[in-house]
């Protein structure tokens, strides 16, 4: 009697974050991520190197070293090993929060060795503090995360505006032709996303940049002179500018930067987790921050600067709905090539700012819209959640709208508050604790959010946690749990 054929095993479900697209998809989507972050990535070494009056050769060295470590840091974050890497589509780049402190350190007599010494110590501190930050995830309910994501998007929009006008400091800043080119690129991106087939719509930003570059060349927007001057091969060697020096004042200022970047990175991780449908847990948050610290240490060794998640690429994930971490890992591989082949980097650097501005308006606006989508799941009836959002957004946008508002304050305060993202995030956390965790006025012992909510708290949600804080009863009472919201 013939044996019955066993039924086929059901196909294993692969989460979209772990899916590996075809090679052509990896290349196209990865290049799109590179173009979205390239201008920001090279800006930090350009600003710091120019402030220190480095030679053109040293500036070029800083840029290639930065691109190389950007790629390595992205690979660590996306692919991961052991307890390093959040394993989400996260692009890594130099943080702007460190620019002012590094300029002060470098021009104050310490030079690049003092910068790199402080960067190495900051990276080690981030790795040590990563588990502590991981335990703080309970302070990021949808009320806080939605507000932070909204502030991230709004804070980035002026960057896109500067690009669209021609790039901050350019001789023709605000010229109508610059704005016209940015508008044309924006129209191409929107047209492709609306009318093109599914695959092409997902690389709408890349198509917009390529078409914009093709139009920019005959109208004289581009300058490829730097391509001929660039070398074919460039390898960054450890401590190229000398052995690092460890100065107490430089280390102290960079440790403040480390706390700021950890706060910003936490917001970016949570945003990507919600966009991709893979919730960030305390352990994965700690793993991602630990990877940030390792990348920052590598930056100090290989002649570059502290690293963090890039919010512009968060917007690209939300806009294209391509959630695979391997796409961003491919982008990291492209960055490694750009760091090893300076001529390729020079070609990408020749893309005019208005082209990037047109694409940036869509990407950064998508981040802000994602924050609104998260906040749409929060209950604003009969509680103070509207106040939490209003004040947090106001504080976060203050340094964006008035960049000199804190210039009379101490350096450490400026480092924290001049970043709209960190200022808004810290405010949202503090106000959420004030209104939704602390006991209600009148000493009833019930969290204020639970006292005024129209939605009953779930059983057991108000159990006290170590430190005397409510175990999320306020958030459970005034908003849906994150797994329901997304």
């Amino acid at each position: 009697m013939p044996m019955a054929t066993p039924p086929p095993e059901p196909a294993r479900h692969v989460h979209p974050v772990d899916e590996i697209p075809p090679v052509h998809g990896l290349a196209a989507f990865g290049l799109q991520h590179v173009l979205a972050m390239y201008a920001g990535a090279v800006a930090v070494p350009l600003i710091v190197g120019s402030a220190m009056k480095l030679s053109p050769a040293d500036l070029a060295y800083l840029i290639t070293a930065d691109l190389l470590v950007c790629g390595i840091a992205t690979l660590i974050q996306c692919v991961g090993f052991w307890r390093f890497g959040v394993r989400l589509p996260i692009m890594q780049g130099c943080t702007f929060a460190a620019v002012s402190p590094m300029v002060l350190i470098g021009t104050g007599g310490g030079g690049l060795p003092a910068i790199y010494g402080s960067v190495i110590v900051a990276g080690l501190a981030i790795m040590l503090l990563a588990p502590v930050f991981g335990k703080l995830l309970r302070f990021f309910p949808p009320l806080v995360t939605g507000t932070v994501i909204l502030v991230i998007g709004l804070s980035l929009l002026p960057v896109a505006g500067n690009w669209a006008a021609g790039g901050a400091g350019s001789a023709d800043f605000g010229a109508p032709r610059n704005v016209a080119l940015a508008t044309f690129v924006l129209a191409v991106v929107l047209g492709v996303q609306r009318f093109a087939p599914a695959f092409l719509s997902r690389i709408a930003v890349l198509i917009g940049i390529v078409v914009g570059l093709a139009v920019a060349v005959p109208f004289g927007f581009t300058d490829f002179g730097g391509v001929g001057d660039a070398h074919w091969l460039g390898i960054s060697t450890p401590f190229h500018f000398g052995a690092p020096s460890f100065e107490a004042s430089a280390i102290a200022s960079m440790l403040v930067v480390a706390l700021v970047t950890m706060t910003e990175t936490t917001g970016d991780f949570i945003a990507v987790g919600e966009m991709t449908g893979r919730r960030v847990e305390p352990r994965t948050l700690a793993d991602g921050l630990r990877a940030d610290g390792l990348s920052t240490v590598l930056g100090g060794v290989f002649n570059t600067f502290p690293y963090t998640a890039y919010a512009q690429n968060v917007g690209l994930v939300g806009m294209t709905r391509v959630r695979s971490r391997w796409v961003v890992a491919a982008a990291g591989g492209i960055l490694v090539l750009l760091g090893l082949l300076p001529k390729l980097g020079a070609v990408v650097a020749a893309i005019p700012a208005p082209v990037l501005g047109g694409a940036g308006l869509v990407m950064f606006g998508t981040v802000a819209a994602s924050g609104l989508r998260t906040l749409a799941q929060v209950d604003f009836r009969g509680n103070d959640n509207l106040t939490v959002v209003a004040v947090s957004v106001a504080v976060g946008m203050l340094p964006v709208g008035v960049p000199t508002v804190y210039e009379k304050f101490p350096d450490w305060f400026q480092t924290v508050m001049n970043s709209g993202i960190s200022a808004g995030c810290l405010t949202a956390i503090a106000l959420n604790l004030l209104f939704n965790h602390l006991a209600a006025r009148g000493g009833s012992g019930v969290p204020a959010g639970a006292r005024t909510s129209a939605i009953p708290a779930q059983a057991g949600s108000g159990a006290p946690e170590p430190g005397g804080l409510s175990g999320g009863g306020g958030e459970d009472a005034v908003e849906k749990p994150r797994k329901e919201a997304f």
Side-chain angles (χ1 to χ4, degrees):
M1 186 174 178
M3 295 181 62
T5 305
E9 293 185 4
R12 291 181 57 191
H13 173 70
V14 178
H15 194 282
V17 169
D18 298 319
E19 286 182 350
I20 303 178
V23 174
H24 67 277
L26 283 173
F29 294 141
L31 180 59
Q32 186 170 238
H33 273 282
V34 170
L35 296 179
M37 60 83 68
Y38 189 90
V42 302
V44 174
L46 277 175
I47 294 170
V48 176
S50 300
M52 296 180 63
K53 296 180 170 53
L54 297 182
S55 66
D58 285 342
L59 275 176
Y61 193 95
L62 282 181
I63 291 172
T64 54
D66 174 39
L67 293 174
L68 176 65
V69 181
C70 274
I72 295 172
T74 300
L75 288 169
I76 294 173
Q77 199 67 270
C78 295
V79 179
F81 68 94
W82 190 50
R83 296 296 302 278
F84 291 85
V86 72
R87 293 168 176 83
L88 285 172
I90 292 287
M91 202 82 183
Q92 297 285 104
C94 283
T95 174
F96 282 87
V99 169
S100 296
M102 290 191 299
V103 169
L104 291 174
I105 296 169
T107 57
L112 286 172
I115 292 177
Y116 294 140
S118 63
V119 168
I120 291 172
V121 173
L124 294 173
I126 291 173
M127 285 193 282
L128 291 174
L129 291 174
V132 177
F133 257 71
K135 295 177 181 178
L136 299 179
L137 195 60
R138 64 193 178 97
F139 297 119
F140 288 86
L143 173 64
V144 173
T145 58
T147 304
V148 172
I149 296 167
L150 176 61
V151 171
I152 289 173
L154 295 177
S155 298
L156 288 171
L157 285 175
V159 176
N162 282 325
W163 287 346
S170 61
D172 62 344
F173 185 84
R177 72 179 203 140
N178 291 337
V179 179
L181 178 58
T183 304
F184 171 74
V185 172
L186 174 60
V188 171
V189 172
L190 295 177
V192 171
Q193 190 170 8
R194 172 64 181 85
F195 299 107
F199 172 75
L200 293 180
S201 68
R202 292 184 173 182
I203 56 171
V205 171
L206 176 60
I207 293 174
I209 291 175
V210 171
V211 173
L213 181 59
V215 171
V217 171
F219 284 95
F221 281 91
T222 54
D223 179 13
F224 290 101
V227 179
D229 298 333
H231 296 290
W232 280 105
L233 183 65
I235 299 176
S236 179
T237 55
F239 306 125
H240 174 80
F241 295 99
S245 61
F246 301 94
E247 300 180 4
S249 59
I251 291 172
S253 62
M254 203 58 64
L255 289 176
V256 175
V257 171
L259 294 175
V260 172
T261 57
M262 292 177 80
T263 303
E264 293 181 354
T265 299
T266 298
D268 290 331
F269 285 170
I270 293 173
V272 172
E274 292 176 347
M275 288 177 181
T276 58
R278 174 171 283 178
R279 180 180 175 182
V280 175
E281 302 290 345
R283 173 169 175 151
T284 53
L285 173 59
D287 292 348
L289 293 173
R290 197 177 287 110
D292 259 14
L294 176 60
S295 301
T296 298
V297 172
L298 292 177
V301 172
F302 287 95
N303 320 293
T304 180
F305 308 115
Y307 285 86
T308 188
Y310 260 26
Q312 49 262 57
N313 295 87
V314 174
L316 191 58
V317 171
M319 176 189 168
T320 62
R321 299 183 294 277
V322 176
R323 296 181 279 176
S324 172
R325 62 190 172 105
W326 297 104
V327 164
V328 181
I334 294 173
L335 284 173
V336 170
L337 284 178
L338 293 176
L340 296 175
L341 303 173
K343 273 197 185 297
L344 287 179
V347 171
V348 178
I351 298 174
V355 173
L356 297 174
L361 287 171
V362 184
M363 294 186 299
F364 303 161
T366 301
V367 178
S370 298
L372 292 176
R373 183 179 62 186
T374 303
L375 289 173
Q377 309 300 325
V378 178
D379 182 23
F380 290 98
R381 297 168 297 175
N383 54 56
D384 297 298
N385 287 343
L386 193 63
T387 300
V388 175
V389 176
V391 176
S392 301
V393 172
V395 173
M397 296 308 298
L398 189 59
V400 177
V402 189
T404 58
V405 65
Y406 298 124
E407 66 177 6
K408 303 296 184 183
F409 285 74
D411 291 340
W412 67 266
F413 186 90
Q414 293 186 50
T415 301
V416 176
M417 298 303 292
N418 270 341
S419 166
I421 298 173
S422 62
C425 182
L426 293 174
T427 304
I429 293 172
L431 293 181
N432 178 57
L433 289 174
L434 175 64
F435 287 111
N436 291 326
H437 277 288
L438 297 183
R441 292 179 292 271
S444 64
V446 180
R451 176 175 53 85
T452 58
S453 173
I455 300 177
Q458 295 176 355
S461 64
E465 292 182 0
L469 292 175
S470 165
E475 287 81 4
D476 288 341
V478 298
E479 55 193 325
K480 298 178 183 179
R482 188 180 309 158
K483 63 182 180 181
E484 292 182 15
F486 299 92

